[in-house]
Amino acid sequence: AAGTTIPYFCAPHCIFGMVASITVINPPVEHVVTQTLFAFDPPNITVAPGDTVRWIRTGGNHTVTSGSACLADGVYFDSLLNLANPQVVWTVPQTAAGTTIPYYCTVHCLFDMIGSIAVSGGPANPADINGDGPVDAQDLALLLNAWGTANAAADVDDDGIVNASDLAAVLGSWTG
């Protein structure tokens, strides 16, 4: 049903306007990258905002660190990939749309243990939570339904929680 809008209502209260709709967007995709010896496989992937990337360890001690030239950028991720933490999962934020994110293993960067993540889409408005173009009542409803959670799609400012700063961003970007 991706790309469709499904209307629904409360039968006893429909006459009072208790109606709404759900817009079904394309579901996120999980991309798996396997650490094999001193390499990420595949080393380069293309993702969309909202997708997840899962790195899986097969042995040794490694990291998954965003940045290039063996220098962490401190922007996206920096996690251990080892026996105690055999998987790293990262959800691609809307703010990364249209960028390429280089990453590496800090332990083995000099051995060219590097990769990159190309994020599709142009610079998007993160306040457009449902990705349909305008920032409107549908986006506001999605934000309010996710209030107080860590819902990545509704966390417009990527601070880890849907709260007043996200509401301010949606209202500040309102197109109607």
Side-chain angles (χ1 to χ4, degrees):
T4 63
T5 299
I6 303 165
Y8 66 96
F9 60 92
C10 172
H13 302 109
C14 182
I15 61 171
F16 299 110
M18 195 169 179
V19 298
S21 64
I22 299 171
T23 300
V24 183
I25 58 175
N26 291 328
V29 175
E30 180 177 83
H31 305 267
V32 176
V33 177
T34 305
Q35 163 271 316
T36 306
L37 297 175
F38 303 115
F40 295 110
D41 182 28
N44 306 306
I45 59 174
T46 300
V47 303
D51 287 357
T52 58
V53 180
R54 181 180 306 272
W55 288 270
I56 299 175
R57 172 191 178 269
T58 63
N61 293 309
H62 305 279
T63 71
V64 179
T65 305
S66 65
S68 60
C70 299
L71 297 172
D73 62 15
V75 176
Y76 294 108
F77 46 83
D78 185 9
S79 298
L80 294 172
L81 188 63
N82 58 23
L83 184 60
N85 193 46
Q87 295 185 30
V88 173
V89 178
W90 177 64
T91 301
V92 182
Q94 184 67 46
T95 54
T99 66
T100 298
I101 301 164
Y103 69 92
Y104 63 97
C105 168
T106 58
V107 181
H108 302 106
C109 186
L110 296 177
F111 296 106
D112 286 332
M113 190 170 178
I114 59 174
S116 69
I117 302 168
V119 184
S120 64
N125 184 348
D128 180 18
I129 296 169
N130 64 2
D132 67 350
V135 177
D136 56 17
Q138 291 179 356
D139 300 298
L140 179 60
L142 291 169
L143 181 131
L144 294 175
N145 284 331
W147 193 266
T149 71
N151 181 312
D155 183 15
V156 177
D157 62 5
D158 287 327
D159 69 352
I161 187 147
V162 179
N163 58 21
S165 62
D166 302 300
L167 176 60
V170 167
L171 294 177
S173 299
W174 195 263
T175 58

